[in-house]
Amino acid sequence: MGDIMDDGQTGHPGSRAAAAARRSDPHGVATPDILARLWASDAAEGLARRAPDFSARTGLSISRRSALIIALCLLILTTAGWASWQVSLLTGLAGLLFACLIGLRLLACLLPPAWARRRPLPPCALPRVSVIIALYRERAVLPVLISALEAIDYPADRLEIRLALEADDHETIAAARALELDHKYRIILVPEGGPRTKPRALNYALRFCSGEIVTIHDAEDRPHPRQLRIAAESFAAAGPELACLQAPLNWFNRGECWLTRQFALEYAAHFHALLPLYARLGWPLPLGGTSNHFRTAALRRAGGWDAWNVTEDADLGFRLHALGYRCDVIAPLTLEEAPTRVWPWVCQRTRWLKGYAQTLAVHSRLADLPPRRQNRFALILTLGAALVSALAHAPLAATCLFALCAGTDANGTQLLYGGFLAAGYGTSAATAAVGMRRAGLTVRRADLLLMPLYWPLQSWAAVRALYQLATRPYFWDKTEHGISTFTDPACISPSPPHSSSSAVASQFSCSPAGAPDNRSDPNAARASSPGP
């Protein structure tokens, strides 16, 4: 399959877009209005025009939407015990799906992560890197963000940082300009237009990037200082088929409340147990929305991000795999800010689950691709399983709890459901505990025991996701940042524990001041980190 983005739209270092970025002042990119409108249109519609089958812009057909609604209704009815699983093919398939999920979690606990291989590079051999941060209503976290970016251990002459701000977000623009950023920063004003999504802003900012590697961070990110260097060395050790490296994520405010501690367990299981397993199996990776390090050429050939998919990260991971590329994982953490209240958490999870449904619809219709590139099995066991389990958990748990409290004799269906529920809780807790240990984070037994109280929230979010999929499919439910009480800007991600599977640290590393840098030493002390 050929390139999705044609050469006239790539924005290579010698293109007009990159030249305009270099000529601009450090506080904004002076782009002619007609070009800005043209590029903004392409940022929104480019993928849908050039490769409509890969874009969520086309939405679900009436027949697919009807089939989805019928299947989900049947799933809820059978899970709640209103139909017998013995005569329900759907329930049997759901049971098989849950059994596969349990098996995957057990395998993820048993197999240690095999992080991407690295080839040590001296500073003079490191590639140029472009970091993009899409910001919208983020004035409160800008100073902390800049502190985290300044802590990145990478040669300043090989690093450019693009702050993509919506043109009508005057408060954030004013705050960014007031910081008097140095020459490696560029403020890029994304013209008004729809859809108002992060991937649209990223596509627009990509035109102003000249790096061989493009890194994506979020406004509240605190990446480990050596993460970027390790990503560059990992790309150097691999061939051009390696398109993206995903760094693990967790939360700097994970110890703030019960909700943030549960979120930390979930993220540890996903990024330190399941994603490394998917990479080991050669599956496509459902990427996280930040700390993605892309080989720029592969990202542009894949068409960038789908502006109409609200989980553009997971979608892009599957699209790269479909085009013959692969993704891998690296060890250094990025810490983010977790929602501290239930409603913001539900809104964020609604967007994720809605995007999973969009991505499922997009990649299930690519029938002309070879089976290896489609990898429907991986699609079902990652995004599909997340959506189905979120929908089914609340009615399944309610049915089992009702039968237990009522004291009625359990029939075969209830025993089956109860067994799956217990196995699901047990393997999830084990995977979370293993993931936290691998991340070098502390886990409390009480939090593991309270995981069953966290899961039903996903059913609430899943129902909202299906409703929004039918009524507001492209609405971006933004998560507010800067509300946590853990606001120390000096806190960065802790160093991951030493793993024998990791490559040796580069002997050429130097700190920005020229002194020996012990952050590559696996025995060096971890940086301070809030929380347990």
Side-chain angles (χ1 to χ4, degrees), residues 21 23 28 52 132 163 219 303 358 404 421 432 438 465 521-522:
R23 290 195 305 268
I132 305 177
L163 304 179
Q358 290 176 322
L404 181 65
L421 201 63
R438 290 174 181 172
D521 182 359

Side-chain angles (χ1 to χ4, degrees), residues 87-423:
V87 296
S88 173
L89 175 63
L90 184 61
T91 307
L93 293 175
L96 179 61
L97 176 65
F98 294 145
C100 290
L101 283 179
I102 291 167
L104 270 180
R105 289 172 185 155
L106 290 174
L107 193 59
C109 291
L110 295 173
L111 294 178
W115 307 111
R117 294 184 302 110
R118 294 162 50 199
R119 178 162 65 86
L121 297 173
C124 60
L126 289 169
R128 186 169 180 81
V129 175
S130 303
V131 178
I132 305 177
I133 304 101
L135 304 164
Y136 182 56
R137 300 202 311 258
E138 300 287 7
R139 179 184 63 174
V141 300
L142 260 177
V144 178
L145 170 65
I146 299 303
S147 295
L149 294 175
E150 288 297 310
I152 292 176
D153 175 21
Y154 207 82
D157 62 338
R158 289 170 173 79
L159 180 63
E160 61 182 27
I161 299 175
R162 305 303 188 223
L163 304 179
L165 280 65
E166 299 290 337
D168 60 351
D169 186 7
H170 304 297
E171 289 188 354
T172 308
I173 293 171
R177 286 176 172 163
L179 292 173
E180 298 183 356
L181 304 172
D182 65 32
H183 66 279
K184 68 176 175 287
Y185 292 89
R186 293 292 185 271
I187 297 173
I188 298 173
L189 303 184
V190 182
E192 295 182 47
R196 178 68 67 87
T197 59
K198 174 184 172 182
R200 175 179 176 269
L202 294 179
N203 282 335
Y204 188 84
L206 182 60
R207 290 187 172 273
F208 302 93
C209 295
S210 61
E212 299 170 51
I213 297 172
V214 169
T215 293
I216 306 302
H217 281 303
D218 280 344
E220 79 281 17
D221 278 7
R222 300 179 186 180
H224 187 273
R226 291 190 58 81
Q227 184 186 116
L228 192 54
R229 185 186 289 263
I230 289 174
E233 293 178 344
S234 298
F235 278 121
E241 76 284 350
L242 178 62
C244 180
L245 292 163
Q246 172 72 63
L249 307 176
N250 214 285
W251 311 103
F252 61 76
N253 63 329
R254 59 190 175 276
E256 190 164 358
C257 63
W258 170 81
L259 184 64
T260 59
R261 290 195 296 271
Q262 292 296 323
F263 215 167
L265 292 174
E266 184 181 10
Y267 256 42
H270 182 72
F271 286 101
H272 278 92
L274 292 173
L275 276 191
L277 175 63
Y278 300 159
R280 184 189 286 267
L281 295 174
W283 287 7
L285 298 188
L287 300 173
T290 181
S291 298
N292 310 136
H293 305 272
F294 294 97
R295 201 184 295 273
T296 309
L299 176 61
R300 285 177 170 140
R301 289 179 188 133
W305 297 268
D306 183 7
W308 302 90
N309 192 315
V310 297
T311 52
E312 80 294 338
D313 39 15
D315 167 70
L316 183 53
F318 278 88
R319 192 183 339 134
L320 287 168
H321 185 87
L323 296 174
Y325 294 103
R326 70 179 181 90
C327 302
D328 211 336
V329 289
I330 56 177
L333 271 170
T334 291
L335 294 180
E336 298 188 284
E337 180 186 4
T340 59
R341 293 178 292 112
V342 170
W343 180 244
W345 183 97
V346 169
C347 292
Q348 183 185 67
R349 189 57 58 99
T350 295
R351 173 164 53 84
W352 294 356
L353 292 172
K354 180 173 64 173
Y356 287 174
Q358 290 176 322
T359 304
L360 279 166
V362 167
H363 291 274
S364 64
R365 69 192 181 202
L366 302 176
D368 57 334
L369 289 176
R372 180 183 64 83
R373 292 189 179 182
Q374 292 180 52
N375 211 328
R376 299 277 179 88
F377 186 69
L379 184 68
I380 292 171
L381 284 186
T382 53
L383 305 188
L387 184 59
V388 170
S389 62
L391 281 166
H393 182 266
L396 172 59
T399 299
C400 293
L401 186 62
F402 177 79
L404 181 65
C405 294
T408 57
D409 294 334
N411 56 33
T413 302
Q414 291 169 341
L415 290 175
L416 177 68
Y417 289 163
F420 273 127
L421 201 63

